[in-house]
Amino acid sequence: MLRKHWPQIILGLLCFMLLAAHITSVLRLPAVERLDAYLYDTRVRFSAASAPDPRIAIIDIDEKSLAALGRWPWRRDLLARLVDQVFDHYHAQALGFDVVFAEADDSTGLATLRRLASGELADIPEFGATLTRIAPRLDTDTRLARALAKRNTVLGFYYSSDSHAVSAGALPAPALDAGTLAPVAANITPASHFGANLAQLQTAAAAGGHFVPSVDQDGVIRRVPLLVNIGGQFYPALSLALAQLALGHPPLEPVIEVGGGVPQLEALKLGKLTLSVDANGRATVPYRGPARSFAYVSAADVLKGTVPVDQLAGRILLLGATTPGLNDLRVTPVGEAYPGVEIHANLLSAMLDGALPQRPGYLLGAELLLLAVLTPILVWVLARRPPFQATVTVLTLLVALALADIWLWRVHHVDFPFAATLTLMVALYVLNMAWGYIFVTRRQSQLRQLFGQYVVPELVDRMSADPGKYTMVGQSRELSILFTDVRGFTSISESMAPAELTQFMNAFLTEISTVIRSGQPGTIDKYIGDCVMAFWGAPLPDTLHAHNAVLAALNIHAAMLRLNTTFAARNWPTLVVGVGVNSGVVTVGDMGSRYRLTYTVMGDAVNLTSRIESLTKFYGVPILVTAATRDAAPGFVYREIDRVRVAGREDAVTLYQPLALAGDEAATRYVDAFAPVLAHYRLRQWAQAQQQLATLLQAEPDCVLYRVWRDRVATMQANPPAADWDGVHVFVRK
């Protein structure tokens, strides 16, 4: 196999090495990365949750709210009222802000009044006193800070790696001590600048977290950094901070694995929950479905208190915008205008369930092992099996692996990187099919050209399915050979005009050829004038070659009876055809000269077949077969005719006439009637043999076989043979 299928083996090894390099990050293949992203998107779309998460709801800054409350940003006292409403009226568990309050609220003019009080109007005491009295009502930032204080509120902020950006606001407390992440700190998503909330607000809130997702090269959001490194400190994502707050602030700890001597962040432990992340601290977002897969309520309705309490009570709420004008619509696997706030809702839901998709470190070894196992299997299947079987096998493997991938995703939340495996299977399939089309098809075409003139199209089609198994090179094989010849052809040809003789012979040869090529077809070797030579068992192996050859001989005899009826209607001569069949080991292959080659058989068995075919005329029987054929094809009724030694051979051969298929009672009686003749003859019981022959001739006076034996017995009776006579009749002429 190695030598025969080396191109497929080399292709398989090249594909394996290339994809192994991709898996181990020695060489990244953008096409495989895009496929991995596409498979993730497809998996997410077909694994959507059947219902929203009842623990989470989104307060929507929608068109209705903007129409009722004015353009964004709203006054901080209005937001304070919203916070109070959320906790005092609706008894929410926690509230996260997918917005940032980086600047003071000057919508009340308090800052301007204070500048006037210390400047142009400083000499008017009444102005300063009035300002002091009303300032608390105008200080909306303080009002919002009081609403945030001592409640489960999480403020959002953003980060940036843009060198031109300017940091603003106050960051929340870090999520982890920098020392615990020291071994993997270099891999955590870095940032150089940030836009955070007013210190007054961030200090009042229970926590803070960033709301910046990770955007892949194709612009799609599939991951969110749960940790971001800003100035050597590690800050959480908004969803992580909310989960920690909602769960009672359990400790957050990194899970660092060391593989090959290299430490790598595998997950974050949040109390009893394990939050899977990649080496950069990013979590894969398991989207529950398209936009609005979570409960949404309008911010205006929350402020007015028209939302039923049970829709928000005890839930974790996220405040965010879906209106296009606020530019928080993102491209995700489940939608191209997906609300950014719902990305955090998806992450939060998965965290609470401990169901973040995971790619543990052992998947690298598992993926390499899968490739190493699949490569030789695919090479063997694609190289050795017919295209249809190979296609079915590859599709079956694909379906099985796809089902396994879905099972891992849905049951164990494992995000198996299936792209390299799929690429290997598709690449090997396509390359092997292309190889087969370019080279094997050419081989099949050559096979058709070589064998099409000898073998029926159906057999050529079977041979073309695996052309490597068939060759024109000479080889020794056991076959069954058939010869036919027309009795008295010379006189027939002399009595017919050339054109009419051509039609006559074409009709005869067509009938013979049709019989040979039907049923279990044989290979037509050649036409020699009125003689046809054929054989069974090559080029396509045939374990029943002897049976099929004898059956063809009987069918030829029957076909000649029908054909003579047609010939009689056209006033053409009656045909008498003799058929000889023999089985034996011969050489078969392409033989001839450098000027002309033909696929043929040669050997002693071929010569013997020709000899016994010529004896059909002597014995007056339509078919003769040798003992070798009779023994190899026991499914017929045979009548023994004689034991002879033909010209050119020392060994004697027993001749038989096949009469019918086994079980034919009339044929069996016919055999039983002649058998005593042979028995008496070989026992030198000449009188008894003559008596039996007389009885047979009385029933069939024109039977050539009986007359031949009558004359031979008479000769033997008159001139008894020597004492060492073996009962074999010798033919000295061919």
Side-chain angles (χ1 to χ4, degrees), residues 420-669:
T421 302
L422 179 59
T423 301
L424 174 77
M425 298 182 72
V426 172
L428 287 181
Y429 179 80
V430 171
L431 290 173
N432 275 274
M433 290 300 109
W435 175 268
Y437 182 79
I438 295 172
F439 295 98
V440 176
T441 301
R442 180 182 176 187
R443 181 75 178 273
Q444 291 175 343
S445 177
Q446 292 173 342
L447 193 72
R448 291 178 184 276
Q449 293 176 1
L450 292 172
F451 288 106
Q453 56 185 316
Y454 310 111
V455 184
V456 295
E458 293 79 10
L459 288 187
V460 176
D461 289 340
R462 287 170 58 187
M463 295 164 65
S464 298
D466 192 0
K469 293 174 61 176
Y470 306 99
T471 176
M472 302 291 278
V473 177
Q475 54 185 301
S476 181
R477 191 181 292 187
E478 183 175 334
L479 308 177
S480 289
I481 306 100
L482 177 147
F483 273 84
T484 72
D485 193 23
V486 177
R487 301 286 171 252
F489 179 71
T490 301
S491 60
I492 291 175
S493 62
E494 290 175 351
S495 66
M496 302 180 74
E500 189 177 28
L501 179 63
T502 300
Q503 296 178 25
F504 178 84
M505 287 305 300
N506 286 346
F508 160 67
L509 292 175
T510 297
E511 190 70 25
I512 294 283
S513 301
T514 300
V515 172
I516 294 172
R517 294 164 67 96
S518 61
Q520 293 298 322
T523 300
I524 296 177
D525 187 306
K526 58 177 69 72
Y527 301 117
I528 312 170
D530 60 314
C531 174
V532 178
M533 175 183 173
F535 51 87
W536 280 257
L540 203 67
D542 182 2
T543 57
L544 299 176
H545 56 83
H547 178 93
N548 295 326
V550 174
L551 184 61
L554 289 172
N555 290 336
I556 288 172
H557 178 61
M560 289 303 99
L561 297 178
R562 296 191 300 270
L563 187 64
N564 280 329
T565 302
T566 303
F567 284 0
R570 302 184 63 175
N571 294 319
W572 282 356
T574 297
L575 279 175
V576 178
V577 176
V579 182
V581 180
N582 181 36
S583 303
V585 177
V586 297
T587 299
V588 58
D590 222 4
M591 303 180 196
S593 68
R594 64 176 180 173
Y595 303 107
R596 185 174 184 273
L597 294 172
T598 184
Y599 187 74
T600 188
V601 291
M602 290 184 179
D604 181 63
V606 179
N607 298 331
L608 179 58
T609 309
S610 177
R611 299 286 189 276
I612 65 171
E613 181 277 320
S614 65
L615 294 180
T616 58
K617 180 180 180 181
F618 175 81
Y619 289 104
V621 294
I623 307 169
L624 283 176
V625 305
T626 62
T629 299
R630 174 187 178 276
D631 294 341
F636 299 91
V637 176
Y638 294 95
R639 178 169 65 168
E640 184 179 351
I641 298 300
D642 202 356
R643 183 165 174 77
V644 303
R645 186 176 290 112
V646 298
R649 282 179 59 91
E650 292 296 327
D651 296 333
V653 59
T654 304
L655 303 180
Y656 295 88
Q657 178 191 3
L659 299 175
L661 288 170
D664 189 305
E665 294 182 1
T668 302
R669 288 195 298 270

Side-chain angles (χ1 to χ4, degrees), residues 50 81 92 130 146 190 203 205 218 251 265 271 302 314 341 354-355 388 431 446 457-458 516 521 528 566 603 645 658:
S50 58
R81 285 172 47 207
T130 302
R146 286 199 302 269
T203 301
D218 57 0
L265 182 63
V302 173
V341 64
F388 178 76
L431 290 173
Q446 292 173 342
E458 293 79 10
I516 294 172
I528 312 170
T566 303
R645 186 176 290 112

Side-chain angles (χ1 to χ4, degrees), residues 61-384:
I61 304 172
D62 55 4
E63 296 287 354
K64 177 180 179 180
S65 299
L66 295 178
L69 304 176
R71 65 183 181 85
W72 183 265
W74 296 330
R75 284 175 42 169
R76 303 286 162 78
D77 57 341
L78 187 149
L79 288 168
R81 285 172 47 207
L82 180 64
V83 174
D84 290 339
Q85 188 79 337
V86 164
F87 287 99
D88 296 339
H89 180 69
Y90 289 105
H91 308 290
Q93 183 180 7
L95 175 63
F97 289 83
D98 187 28
V99 294
V100 63
F101 307 114
E103 299 175 350
D105 181 11
D106 61 356
S107 61
T108 61
L110 179 60
T112 301
L113 292 175
R114 283 174 172 166
R115 283 196 301 273
L116 290 173
S118 61
E120 299 174 18
L121 302 179
D123 56 348
I124 303 176
E126 294 82 358
F127 182 82
T130 302
L131 179 58
T132 300
R133 188 181 73 253
I134 67 173
R137 297 198 302 270
L138 299 179
D139 187 357
T140 56
D141 288 326
T142 300
R143 172 74 181 86
L144 178 57
R146 286 199 302 269
L148 295 173
K150 298 182 181 180
R151 286 170 170 165
N152 286 342
T153 55
V154 180
L155 296 185
F157 70 92
Y158 64 88
Y159 64 85
S160 172
S161 296
D162 186 352
S163 59
H164 301 290
V166 177
S167 296
L171 289 170
L176 283 168
D177 179 78
T180 62
L181 283 173
V184 295
N187 296 327
I188 303 301
T189 303
S192 55
H193 299 87
F194 58 86
N197 297 276
L198 294 173
Q200 178 186 16
L201 300 178
Q202 186 59 69
T203 301
H210 76 82
F211 47 67
V212 181
S214 177
V215 182
D216 289 347
Q217 291 184 350
D218 57 0
V220 179
I221 295 172
R222 300 181 180 90
R223 282 167 284 274
V224 171
L226 291 192
L227 294 175
V228 59
N229 183 350
I230 303 177
Q233 298 294 327
F234 301 93
Y235 298 93
L238 176 63
S239 53
L240 176 58
L242 266 173
Q244 190 173 22
L245 192 62
L247 294 173
H249 216 281
L252 184 67
E253 300 173 358
V255 177
I256 299 174
E257 298 288 343
V258 179
V262 179
Q264 180 172 301
L265 182 63
E266 286 252 334
L268 297 173
K269 291 285 290 185
L270 183 60
K272 296 181 179 181
L273 296 179
T274 299
L275 311 180
S276 300
V277 294
D278 63 13
N280 304 117
R282 300 179 303 175
T284 303
V285 184
Y287 292 94
R288 296 178 66 88
R292 296 187 177 273
S293 293
F294 289 81
Y296 275 76
V297 293
S298 174
D301 292 338
V302 173
L303 269 173
K304 289 188 292 185
T306 57
V307 178
V309 173
D310 59 358
Q311 288 190 18
L312 302 181
R315 295 195 181 194
I316 303 171
L317 305 181
L318 283 158
L319 175 68
T322 62
T323 181
L326 297 183
N327 299 320
D328 194 30
L329 298 179
R330 309 300 182 100
V331 179
T332 69
V334 290
E336 296 183 355
Y338 195 87
V341 64
E342 197 167 345
I343 295 175
H344 307 298
N346 279 283
L347 262 181
L348 176 59
S349 174
M351 288 181 194
L352 296 177
D353 291 332
L356 280 178
Q358 55 178 313
R359 280 195 178 184
Y362 65 77
L363 286 188
L364 174 63
E367 193 176 8
L368 284 173
L369 179 61
L370 182 59
L371 287 184
V373 171
L374 280 178
T375 299
I377 291 175
L378 290 171
V379 168
W380 187 88
V381 168
L382 293 169
R384 297 293 300 274

